[in-house]
């Protein structure tokens, strides 16, 4: 009995400490944003002026409408494009399917704004494809800027997430259901719509929510190619950091509205998913089969075309990184000048990225192990609440979290603004869920009797945890940590708010170099990020034994 009480005390203490961390670095900053939005920045009195200003001017409401239009269109297009892609890859044997899956993953793992920059080089007013079409056909193509460009970049960037979700769901569908439908003369698209779509609807909703949240929160893409097509993250950034004097109170009010909106979307998705959920056990899972004739050609063409278009930005950016430059302009010939310039001009950003990401990952690994264990093996009301806290970063855009942390920690008693600590805190809060989910998935498979046997032999609770349980969790922890690492090194929306000259990261450096027109340096840094991402993904596949990623 005393041993059990001791075990409860230790984990109650650990849970309480983690709670304090979340309260200090997430709940309090969000609460500060809420308070700031209701008090006048000049007089300090309670006021609804910020909200009145937002809802009374078409300029601000247009930004909300623009964001909603972009996110809804990106989500629907991603489902329309990636749903059939996953179905084809799951049911038809495609040559080189393993390589294609890896390439699709790589295309989704880079920062969206790098894709935006690449498409500027390809489809901008002086882009390679734009000039080629005009010179050969005499036709002036529509340029990449504005709504259409944002839609293209984000759809190509985020549709692989739907592909991953749907591919995973299709593995759990029993093939006998398909055969039964076929025996009732329900085949082709009708069978997919009547049988498969209802079964994978919860998965589509989960993937759609992730795409929706990422598209809604994306800052870099509309900032680079929006050209007047203003979205909410850009609006918040401009209101908070403005050359003519930003109004952080108004930015806070917009942030509160955005959080309320994303929370409603999140809860609506959960409600619909629970209503539409099915329990499936694939005793006879769907296997890809050889096809012949036109359907086989069409399937291969669709898969290869999507992969080629999705990878085009990364490939072209890598190509331009080896081109010679004269000032800011690419010229004929090849050299390593862009890489030399990158290391000499922004070498500190490369160092900062590795240093900040490395330190963040160490904190994430340690914290994720404890949270996963507390929520899976020490179930309680507190553990359930902690699990809910870990999900909050999904509904809080990175730019808003950055503003919340800056507003909270720019004065006594804790001043973190301008330091590496505030960036690390933001990265940990935002990217911790990846490692928690991966660790918890492994922990669910660990039998409680193993721990009980170790304790009965005289091992202490914590010794059993670190010597027995943690080693069994390690594969899931490392796999999740690699995904967290990839998302940290490609993070922009939070970094752009919190960085200083001494804490600039590679993503911030790429963004600033693109804005300045230094495309060679930007290409070199983007290629380095892509190479790091590819190596990290290959390491993930090696350690996890998988060829796919579950978000």
């Amino acid at each position: 009995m005393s041993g059990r009480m001791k075990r409860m005390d230790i984990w109650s203490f650990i849970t309480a400490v983690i709670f304090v961390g979340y309260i200090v670095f997430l709940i309090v900053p969000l609460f500060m944003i809420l308070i700031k939005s209701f008090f006048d920045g000049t007089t300090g009195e309670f006021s609804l002026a910020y909200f009145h200003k937002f809802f009374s001017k078409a300029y601000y409401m247009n930004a909300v409408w623009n964001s909603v239009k972009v996110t809804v269109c990106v989500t629907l297009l991603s489902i329309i494009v990636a749903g059939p892609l996953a179905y084809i890859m799951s049911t038809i044997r495609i040559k080189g399917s393993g390589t294609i899956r890896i390439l699709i993953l790589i295309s989704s793992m880079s920062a969206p704004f790098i894709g935006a920059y690449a498409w500027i080089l390809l489809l901008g007013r002086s882009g390679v494809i734009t000039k080629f079409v005009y010179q050969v056909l005499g036709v002036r193509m529509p340029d990449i800027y504005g709504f259409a460009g944002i839609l293209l970049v984000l759809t190509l960037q985020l549709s692989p997430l739907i592909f991953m979700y749907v591919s995973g769901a299709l593995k759990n569908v029993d093939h006998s259901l398909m055969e039964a439908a076929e025996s009732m003369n329900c085949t082709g698209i009708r069978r997919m719509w009547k049988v498969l779509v209802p079964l994978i609807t919860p998965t589509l909703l989960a993937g759609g929510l992730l795409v929706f949240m990422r598209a809604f929160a994306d800052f870099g893409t509309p900032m680079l190619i929006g050209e007047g097509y203003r979205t909410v993250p850009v609006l918040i950034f401009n209101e908070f950091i403005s050359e003519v004097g930003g109004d952080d109170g108004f930015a806070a009010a917009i942030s509160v509205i955005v959080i309320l909106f994303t929370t409603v979307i999140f809860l609506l998705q959960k409600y619909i998913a629970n209503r539409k959920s099915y329990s499936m056990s694939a005793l006879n899972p769907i296997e890809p089969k050889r096809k012949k004739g036109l359907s086989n050609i069409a399937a291969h063409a669709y898969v290869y075309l999507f992969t080629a278009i999705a990878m085009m930005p990364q490939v072209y950016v890598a190509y331009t990184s080896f081109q010679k430059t004269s000032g800011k302009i690419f010229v004929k010939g090849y050299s390593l000048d862009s890489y030399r310039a990158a290391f000499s001009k922004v070498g500190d950003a490369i160092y900062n990225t590795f240093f900040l990401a490395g330190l963040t990952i160490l904190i994430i690994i340690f914290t994720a192990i404890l949270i996963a264990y507390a929520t899976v093996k020490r179930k309680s009301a507190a553990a359930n609440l902690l699990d809910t806290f870990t999900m909050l970063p999904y509904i809080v855009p990175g730019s808003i979290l950055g503003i919340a942390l800056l507003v909270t920690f720019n004065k006594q008693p804790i001043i973190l603004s301008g330091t590496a600590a505030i960036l690390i805190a933001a990265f940990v809060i935002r990217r911790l869920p990846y490692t928690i989910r991966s660790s918890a998935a492994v922990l669910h498979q660990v039998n409680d009797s193993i721990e009980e046997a170790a304790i009965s032999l005289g091992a202490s609770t914590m010794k059993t945890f670190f010597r027995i349980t943690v080693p069994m969790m390690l594969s899931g922890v490392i796999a999740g940590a690699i995904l967290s690492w990839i998302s940290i090194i490609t993070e922009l929306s939070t970094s752009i708010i919190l960085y200083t000259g001494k804490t600039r990261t590679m993503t911030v450096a790429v963004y600033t170099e693109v804005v300045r027109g230094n495309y060679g340096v930007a290409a070199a840094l983007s290629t380095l990020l892509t190479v790091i991402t590819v190596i990290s993904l290959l390491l993930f596949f090696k350690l996890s034994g998988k060829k796919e990623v579950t978000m």
Side-chain angles (χ1 to χ4, degrees), residues 214-228:
R214 288 198 179 185
F216 191 83
D218 185 65
F219 161 79
T221 303
M223 194 71 173
L224 283 178
I225 62 176
E227 282 203 351

Side-chain angles (χ1 to χ4, degrees), residues 463-525:
K463 185 177 181 181
T464 300
F465 173 70
F466 284 108
R467 296 289 295 273
I468 305 295
T469 310
V470 171
M472 289 191 289
M473 294 171 61
L474 216 50
S475 62
V477 172
I478 293 173
I482 292 170
L483 293 184
S484 295
W485 163 271
I486 292 170
S487 60
I488 290 165
I489 63 174
T490 56
E491 170 73 47
L492 176 68
S493 57
T494 308
S495 306
I496 200 76
I497 297 286
L498 299 175
Y499 89 99
T500 63
K502 293 182 178 179
T503 57
R504 181 174 56 164
T505 61
M506 288 174 74
T507 49
V508 173
V510 172
Y511 174 78
T512 52
E513 293 303 319
V514 170
V515 170
R516 291 170 184 167
N518 295 325
Y519 290 153
V521 174
L525 287 172

Side-chain angles (χ1 to χ4, degrees), residues 187-406:
T187 58
I189 294 175
R190 186 162 169 260
R191 181 178 65 175
M192 185 176 75
W193 184 254
K194 291 284 188 180
V195 179
L196 277 181
V197 171
L199 289 173
I200 65 171
T201 293
T203 302
L204 280 174
L205 289 171
L209 176 70
L210 186 58
V211 169
F212 188 96
M213 293 298 187
R214 288 198 179 185
F216 191 83
D218 185 65
F219 161 79
T221 303
M223 194 71 173
L224 283 178
I225 62 176
E227 282 203 351
Y229 194 87
R230 201 171 302 276
T231 60
V232 170
V234 175
L235 178 65
I236 292 172
F237 178 81
N238 288 339
E239 290 297 330
F240 187 72
I241 302 173
S242 173
E243 293 178 2
V244 293
D247 189 340
D248 55 0
F250 186 48
I254 301 172
S255 300
V256 169
I257 293 166
V258 169
I259 291 172
L260 287 174
F261 174 73
T262 54
T263 301
V264 169
I265 296 295
F266 178 77
L267 294 176
L268 185 64
Q269 182 270 337
K270 288 292 182 186
Y271 173 76
I272 297 172
N274 288 336
R275 291 283 301 270
K276 298 283 186 181
S277 63
Y278 296 91
S279 179
M280 291 187 289
S281 179
L283 298 175
N284 180 27
I286 295 173
E287 294 286 346
K289 295 180 179 178
R290 287 188 184 277
K291 285 276 186 179
K292 293 181 179 180
L294 192 60
S295 60
N296 184 51
I297 294 170
H300 277 78
Y302 187 80
V303 170
Y304 291 161
L305 182 63
F306 174 84
T307 308
I309 295 173
M311 283 300 299
M312 194 185 296
Q314 283 88 345
V315 172
Y316 189 71
V317 166
Y319 168 74
T320 58
S321 71
F322 293 102
Q323 282 188 290
K324 281 186 178 180
T325 55
S326 178
K328 297 180 180 180
I329 303 169
F330 291 116
V331 295
K332 287 185 178 181
Y334 302 95
S335 73
L336 296 174
D337 291 346
S338 294
Y339 288 93
R340 294 190 190 98
F343 281 100
S344 61
K345 287 178 64 178
V346 291
D348 59 326
I350 298 171
Y351 169 78
N352 288 341
T353 299
F354 280 94
F355 173 75
L356 293 172
L359 207 54
T360 301
I361 285 299
L362 291 177
I363 297 170
I364 282 176
I365 288 173
F366 183 72
T367 310
I369 288 171
L370 296 177
I371 293 175
Y373 190 83
T375 54
V376 174
K377 297 295 186 181
R378 294 289 182 271
K379 290 181 186 272
S380 63
N384 290 335
L385 185 58
L386 181 61
D387 193 39
T388 303
F389 274 20
T390 65
M391 292 297 292
L392 280 177
Y394 281 116
I395 60 175
V396 179
S399 55
I400 292 176
L401 180 60
I403 291 171
L405 289 170
L406 212 51

Side-chain angles (χ1 to χ4, degrees), residues 10-45:
I10 290 171
W11 283 101
S12 296
F13 174 75
I14 290 171
T15 305
V17 169
I18 295 170
F19 257 121
V20 170
Y22 267 101
I23 289 168
V24 171
F25 291 107
L26 182 61
I27 305 303
V28 170
L30 293 179
F31 183 72
M32 291 294 291
I33 282 274
L34 181 65
I35 295 297
K36 203 168 190 64
S37 68
F38 283 103
F39 287 85
D40 189 277
T42 306
T43 63
E45 296 179 354

Side-chain angles (χ1 to χ4, degrees), residues 52 60 77 89 135 141 145 152 180 189 235 246 259 302 322 361 392 425 430 443 514:
H52 180 265
Y60 302 118
L77 273 176
M89 294 282 284
Q135 289 169 359
M141 293 178 62
Y145 303 98
L152 171 69
I189 294 175
L235 178 65
I259 291 172
Y302 187 80
F322 293 102
I361 285 299
L392 280 177
R430 275 178 60 73
L443 202 53
V514 170

